[in-house]
Amino acid sequence: MTNSTKPRNRTGWYALACLLLVGSLLALSLVVAKVADGAGAPRLSFLMVAVTGAGVLLLTVATQQPQPMRLDRRIVEYSLVSGALFALPNALGFLAVRHVGAGFVSLSFAFPILVTWVIAVGLGMERVNVLRLLGVLLGLAGGVLLAWAKAGGMQGAQGWVALVLTIPLVIALGNIYRTLRWPGGAGPVYLAALMLLGGALALAPFVLAFEAQQLALLLGSTGVLRLLLAEVAVFTVLYVFYFMLQKIAGPVYLSQIGMVAALVGTLIAVSLLGETVPPYLGLAGVLVVLGAVLFHRGAARRETPPPATVEV
């Protein structure tokens, strides 16, 4: 094994560890949202305050790092656009979790990988790789199997199911955008903070329009306040590693977090929240895990380039 191969292998295993961590935390954030909703927390307000808290914490961490924290037109654009593309699927997930369950919302995050991969190939950011394609298709098959089984038992919630199924497209667009427009020289912690704060700004008009009278509920209950602090902690750790993963592995690899979130979210929803065990859970889990392994092997056979940027 050459010296150049060893660092690439270490990077590959680091990316895989980040993938498992980020996917699990993403599922956990949806579970916390479901519990908070059951405790009476206004859903969009809960999300906005949690995102703001995590953004402020990460911005504080970024001030202690050596990378420059510049603020120019490019950074402002990146913050607002990436924030909006982050806020929309999360808001849809938080709103829909009451109607379709945390398990089904987690499952929707299994689908962005195929959309992201198709867009990336079309833009020349990725080359067609048989192992990666097979991994994508197997993981997607597992997610579709779980989603189909779950959707069949949701009488009267088909509208929410349809809205949840728009989440993958928005996530895929966000994955591609953040890579193409990654500002040169900016660190992942700083960019994660800006995305979260941009997302909070995008959510603010909807909170003021629909939940302005309910903001006090976030502080009126000790249980809700604890859940809010837990969500801030989850978001803080989640999006540090989220941006690190995107920087070292690119948008398609990053989008595998959805397959992990789908499986972990379903397991948590079933074991801790008492949701019904979906049919074919075992088969779907095998497909998701096998797809992730094949995708990782396909990625290991090529050197991952740094995120592409489009300068203005």
Side-chain angles (χ1 to χ4, degrees), residues 145-252:
L145 185 62
L146 280 174
W148 174 77
K150 287 281 288 183
M154 295 178 189
Q155 300 302 321
Q158 281 73 21
W160 284 105
V161 169
L163 278 176
V164 168
L165 292 178
T166 66
I167 290 176
L169 176 60
V170 182
I171 292 176
L173 292 174
N175 292 342
I176 296 295
Y177 173 82
R178 285 191 306 274
T179 297
L180 288 176
R181 299 293 291 167
W182 187 289
V189 175
Y190 181 50
L191 293 181
L194 293 179
M195 183 193 75
L196 290 171
L197 294 174
L201 188 62
L203 287 167
F206 299 97
V207 170
L208 293 175
F210 299 109
E211 296 181 357
Q213 306 304 316
Q214 302 178 49
L215 281 171
L217 295 176
L218 293 176
L219 304 177
S221 164
T222 303
V224 171
L225 185 57
R226 287 175 179 169
L227 289 168
L228 183 60
L229 293 175
E231 195 75 299
V232 169
V234 170
F235 278 156
T236 300
V237 179
L238 164 60
Y239 286 103
V240 166
F241 287 96
Y242 188 97
F243 268 75
M244 288 181 178
L245 181 59
Q246 173 133 23
K247 185 174 184 180
I248 65 175
V252 178

Side-chain angles (χ1 to χ4, degrees), residues 39 49 70 77-78 90 111 122 140 147 172 177 192 220 224 230 252 255 258 280 285:
V49 174
R70 76 177 200 267
E77 174 222 305
Y78 191 88
N90 278 278
F111 306 139
L140 183 66
Y177 173 82
V224 171
V252 178
S255 62
Y280 315 116

